[in-house]
Amino acid sequence: MSKSKFFIVVVACAVLSLTAGAVSVPVRAQKGMVASQNEIASRIGADAIKEGGTAVDAAVATAFALAVVHPTAGNIGGGGFMVYRPAKGEAIAYDFREVAPGKSSPTMFLQDGKYSSEIHHNSHLAVGVPGTVAGVHMAWKEQGKLPWKRLVEPAVALARDGFTVSDGLSRSLKSVMRTMQKYPASVAQFTKNGVPYEPGDTLKQPELARTLERIANQGPAGFYEGETALALEKEMLAHGGLITREDLKKYAAKKRVPVKGTYRGYDVISMPPISSGGVGLIEMLNVLEGYDLAKMGPGSSSAVHLMTEAMKRAYSDRAHYLGDPDFVKDMPIAILTSKDYAGRLRKTIDLTRTKPSSPATFEWSHESDETTHISVVDGDRNAVSMTYTLEAGYGVKIVVPGAGFLLNNEMGDFNAAPEITTAEGLIGTKPNLAEPGKRMLSSMTPTILTKDGQLFMVTGSPGSRTIINTVLETIVDVVDFGMNAQEAIDAPRFHHQWLPDKIQYEKYGLSADTVAELEKRGHTLQSGGAQGVAQVIIYNGKEDVLEGGTDRRASDGGAVGVPGRAPTKQTSAQR
Ligand code: DON
């Protein structure tokens, strides 16, 4: 066997052993569980639960810590969503998506009448008014127990005193330096005077520490007003950006009613618009409920075919109907999430053949691959599913001079410009065009499942448009295929988004047989890299224990359990 063949076999075996469950054992703990993309941050969240904090306390502490140790997506300069499901009472969705600044307009990404992707995604005009600090503060105020300052302080310490750079972070920083180079404050923050950080080095971020300290002491005013707001406005004014101190002061997080559905006896609670995630997820689950996926088996051509057909339909609907509910008044959410509509969609599905996606619709503009998800359950079985983002990795790559935090490029999630929908991927449909104070359409899908009124599963993932499908697959893997949290995370993933008309699947994730069968049914397939970084926690009601998984598609992640007895025992067995 040649050296290169041997290498391929070794890699294939590693992947197979991962997917065969040889190492798919979840972390188990009774009193609480925090799963995030960085173990340091998960531990900080778990400590909050240990000290008597709630799931929301833990999520807030984890989110601030991620803004320091996971700068590619953890943030205070971005936005996101939190779905909170208390053990008792109604679930709530906190919407802290960025908004378009007051001087925005639908044509703001045009230059001399021509659309500019550079302006849309990589300029000061790509920055939305950040929502994270307002959002986590709102959730904490309503659901937290520990003092606010106690939750921000671990992040202050990490930024001030530094933390050890991992292999993954070192690689990631070296790679982003190519695009960060033009922003001196970013270079100052993420290199040692221009020399890259190596694994084992200590990364300190003193300006970020001071901003976090202001947030710890003053709450959201430490971010949206005073010194921090002034620094952000100054950066904008100097470089043609739009965000003013008035925009910052006006920013408001919103409470929304989660979108709800059912799947094979489980209740599904997810993020409503401005995310397309919950609506898309429930639409797909409703369609799939009509088929016996368990009998077909994971990775079988029939299961992949049917899941793909559900994906194609839901992603088409996403593109046609969804936008900011405060601006788009006629979204057919009740229809899209109804069983009746799913039944009608099933009638359009041929079990042996796919129909090509219609070229009358369009591809979607580019979205990058960096976001991050936090799943938390505390001892009372209150649950948090939170996804937040800077949009691209390190957002727009601009660190605000003097304030030490990275800015998002979330305006790129608005459609490009009115009436320029092209086959190359530009969209000009109305619901998602930029307007002052409007939120941009998202795919983030923080989700919680319950059974008979009790918590069952918390799930979510980064990955742009693939997010909804990654979340779908974790649910199908657990509910239909009986996998545990770690197995559901390890299981290979695939994605179809209507257009482009192809199934993308993780390398080695589908067998040659399955690929051949799918091709026979008319599908085009393309294998590629990893899809998403899921954070899954399952409540095993029989044993009254939480089971969390760690997604090894990314380095540094970790589910961290809180040992010790939970204060309340759940009653009915759920699995
Ligand atoms: O809100 C959205 O859907 C995107 N801005 C999220 C970006 C993303 O997930 C990148 N992730 N890995």
Side-chain angles (χ1 to χ4, degrees):
M1 187 184 292
S2 73
K3 219 171 159 186
S4 61
K5 268 194 186 151
F6 175 72
F7 177 72
I8 290 169
V9 170
V10 169
V11 172
C13 287
V15 172
L16 284 176
S17 69
L18 204 73
T19 55
V23 287
S24 292
V25 180
V27 175
R28 284 162 56 93
Q30 204 175 30
K31 203 174 166 187
M33 181 81 62
V34 182
S36 85
Q37 227 172 307
N38 185 290
E39 204 177 327
I40 301 171
S42 298
R43 279 195 192 288
I44 284 171
D47 285 346
I49 293 178
K50 251 184 237 162
E51 280 178 36
T54 64
V56 169
D57 285 325
V60 172
T62 304
F64 278 117
L66 284 172
V68 181
V69 298
H70 186 59
T72 174
N75 70 80
I76 54 174
F81 308 125
M82 179 193 288
V83 173
Y84 171 65
R85 194 260 173 189
K88 292 187 191 93
E90 278 301 305
I92 300 170
Y94 294 98
D95 168 352
F96 45 99
R97 183 69 161 166
E98 298 91 329
V99 301
K103 293 197 194 96
S104 310
S105 79
T107 53
M108 65 188 280
F109 309 120
L110 301 178
Q111 190 172 40
D112 304 326
K114 269 189 142 172
Y115 168 69
S116 160
S117 169
E118 193 60 18
I119 293 178
H120 195 188
H121 297 284
N122 295 323
S123 75
H124 285 72
L125 289 176
V127 184
V129 183
T132 296
V133 176
V136 297
H137 188 265
M138 181 187 242
W140 164 80
K141 225 173 153 186
E142 295 189 352
Q143 319 294 350
K145 264 195 203 158
L146 295 182
W148 171 254
K149 204 166 169 180
R150 155 70 187 81
L151 302 177
V152 192
E153 259 169 0
V156 175
L158 278 171
R160 184 192 55 224
D161 306 335
F163 66 97
T164 305
V165 173
S166 68
D167 210 33
L169 180 58
S170 162
R171 245 178 299 122
S172 163
L173 286 173
K174 283 176 191 166
S175 132
V176 76
M177 257 322 132
R178 286 192 287 272
T179 39
M180 255 186 195
Q181 215 47 262
K182 54 184 172 186
Y183 303 117
S186 308
V187 175
Q189 182 138 331
F190 292 117
T191 64
K192 303 171 284 186
N193 291 320
V195 178
Y197 278 101
E198 298 297 338
D201 284 348
T202 300
L203 171 58
K204 296 184 183 177
Q205 302 169 76
E207 289 185 348
L208 176 60
R210 285 193 288 277
T211 297
L212 287 167
E213 220 161 24
R214 287 193 289 278
I215 296 168
N217 292 329
Q218 302 163 38
F223 183 83
Y224 291 97
E225 297 173 42
E227 201 178 320
T228 318
L230 188 62
L232 204 165
E233 185 185 66
K234 199 168 150 206
E235 172 68 12
M236 287 286 138
L237 279 175
H239 299 280
L242 299 182
I243 300 177
T244 62
R245 275 179 290 170
E246 200 190 330
D247 286 322
L248 289 163
K249 201 158 179 203
K250 258 182 26 198
Y251 182 85
K254 297 201 171 184
K255 274 205 291 188
R256 306 214 184 258
V257 178
V259 63
K260 290 184 183 156
T262 59
Y263 185 60
R264 302 193 201 280
Y266 292 86
D267 289 294
V268 181
I269 305 165
S270 192
M271 195 66 207
I274 186 66
S275 182
S276 60
V279 173
L281 175 68
I282 290 168
E283 182 175 335
M284 292 191 282
L285 288 172
N286 283 341
V287 170
L288 294 172
E289 205 172 37
Y291 304 106
D292 191 351
L293 295 181
K295 197 163 160 202
M296 296 167 196
S300 63
S301 55
S302 294
V304 176
H305 172 72
L306 289 169
M307 290 169 78
T308 300
E309 293 306 299
M311 290 171 185
K312 286 172 83 162
R313 284 153 181 80
Y315 276 74
S316 168
D317 285 341
R318 173 201 195 268
H320 282 100
Y321 300 116
L322 302 181
D324 184 340
D326 296 335
F327 287 74
V328 187
K329 294 295 171 205
D330 51 358
M331 286 188 283
I333 295 168
I335 295 174
L336 296 178
T337 56
S338 71
K339 300 283 182 197
D340 180 58
Y341 180 64
R344 283 191 274 143
L345 288 182
R346 271 196 299 274
K347 288 199 183 117
T348 70
I349 294 175
D350 182 339
L351 298 178
T352 61
R353 191 95 206 136
T354 190
K355 273 199 215 102
S357 298
S358 161
T361 96
F362 37 76
E363 292 191 33
W364 295 340
S365 61
H366 168 82
E367 285 177 56
S368 81
D369 241 8
E370 292 295 346
T371 293
T372 196
H373 183 85
I374 304 169
S375 292
V376 185
V377 181
D378 64 24
D380 290 327
R381 310 310 177 212
N382 303 308
V384 167
S385 187
M386 168 174 165
T387 316
Y388 76 149
T389 187
L390 289 165
E391 164 44 17
Y394 303 91
V396 75
K397 327 288 187 255
I398 300 168
V399 166
V400 175
F405 66 92
L406 278 158
L407 290 168
N408 67 82
N409 61 338
E410 216 74 55
M411 296 290 282
D413 277 1
F414 279 120
N415 290 352
E419 291 164 23
I420 54 160
T421 298
T422 71
E424 285 72 46
L426 297 182
I427 314 177
T429 49
K430 196 159 182 294
N432 190 36
L433 288 170
E435 290 179 60
K438 190 176 185 182
R439 285 156 152 83
M440 53 299 277
L441 187 62
S442 171
S443 299
M444 293 188 282
T445 316
T447 298
I448 295 172
L449 266 67
T450 64
K451 178 109 192 267
D452 304 328
Q454 290 189 332
L455 179 68
F456 175 64
M457 178 175 179
V458 185
T459 180
S461 175
S464 294
R465 279 155 293 160
T466 65
I467 292 174
I468 320 175
N469 289 334
T470 297
V471 171
L472 170 80
E473 287 160 32
T474 59
I475 293 172
V476 167
D477 285 338
V478 170
V479 171
D480 293 86
F481 302 138
M483 295 185 193
N484 68 34
Q486 189 61 55
E487 288 165 340
I489 284 173
D490 291 343
R493 298 185 185 135
F494 62 94
H495 170 72
H496 197 300
Q497 61 179 42
W498 183 240
L499 287 166
D501 193 357
K502 63 177 177 218
I503 299 173
Q504 288 166 250
Y505 66 100
E506 291 182 317
K507 207 165 183 182
Y508 309 115
L510 295 177
S511 71
D513 278 2
T514 296
V515 171
E517 275 302 314
L518 288 164
E519 282 170 347
K520 265 196 225 155
R521 294 182 201 206
H523 294 283
T524 302
L525 289 100
Q526 184 183 48
S527 76
Q531 176 180 319
V533 187
Q535 309 295 341
V536 177
I537 300 175
I538 289 176
Y539 175 60
N540 174 341
K542 260 189 212 156
E543 297 177 42
D544 189 27
V545 80
L546 297 162
E547 300 173 347
T550 298
D551 198 329
R552 283 160 283 207
R553 288 168 181 81
S555 50
D556 304 343
V560 173
V562 183
R565 282 208 73 75
T568 51
K569 169 95 175 70
Q570 299 280 295
T571 46
S572 72
Q574 290 164 34
R575 300 198 71 200

